[in-house]
Amino acid sequence: MVNAPLFNLLSVIAEAQTFKDWVPLMYRSQILYETSHFRKLGEFCIKAPWPYWNRSVYIAVSAMPVKGENSIIVTMKSMEGDTWLGDKLVLKDTAKCTECDVHYCSAYIETIAPDK
């Protein structure tokens, strides 16, 4: 439960490049490509304690408002290979990080009250 309007919550989530400023252990968060407010590719890296390598993940995120409801569906999945949407080349930083996978993560976010 988040005590904020849906728009405020989604505004914070959409600013993925700021995650490194307020998520512990995250040292890189950037949006690599953005085709719209609802479709983005991001890179996120966290520091792992020794003897582990740092971890990185390249996540493709899509969101879609639900027609007739005050809600949205968000889906996330790791990028496969080194291209996104068939033509956008991504140069992955695998020398300093171990790449992780996110397999089909999704969320249904709805307003249950004007401020919740």
Side-chain angles (χ1 to χ4, degrees):
M1 177 95 49
V2 176
N3 293 319
L6 180 62
F7 181 80
N8 294 11
L9 174 64
L10 296 176
S11 295
V12 170
I13 293 171
E15 297 297 323
Q17 69 276 9
T18 65
F19 290 5
K20 68 183 178 305
D21 300 326
W22 49 275
V23 175
L25 301 179
M26 187 172 290
Y27 68 90
R28 184 182 309 148
S29 61
Q30 58 186 350
I31 297 171
L32 300 174
Y33 295 106
E34 181 175 353
T35 59
S36 72
H37 293 301
F38 296 105
R39 192 158 197 172
K40 301 178 183 191
L41 176 71
E43 176 193 21
F44 305 94
C45 301
I46 62 162
K47 294 178 184 176
W50 184 88
Y52 301 103
W53 285 80
N54 292 343
R55 302 292 192 245
S56 68
V57 65
Y58 296 82
I59 300 179
V61 179
S62 297
M64 177 187 287
V66 179
K67 190 173 183 173
E69 298 181 29
N70 198 6
S71 61
I72 191 165
I73 295 174
V74 180
T75 61
M76 295 167 273
K77 184 180 182 308
S78 292
M79 185 183 86
E80 296 178 6
D82 60 357
T83 59
W84 185 60
L85 296 178
D87 65 348
K88 294 175 174 38
L89 181 64
V90 177
L91 301 174
K92 297 181 178 181
D93 182 12
T94 56
K96 298 180 182 178
C97 294
T98 299
E99 190 174 347
C100 299
D101 288 324
V102 173
H103 298 283
Y104 299 109
C105 177
S106 63
Y108 176 81
I109 304 169
E110 70 177 328
T111 297
I112 57 174
D115 62 343
K116 292 186 186 287

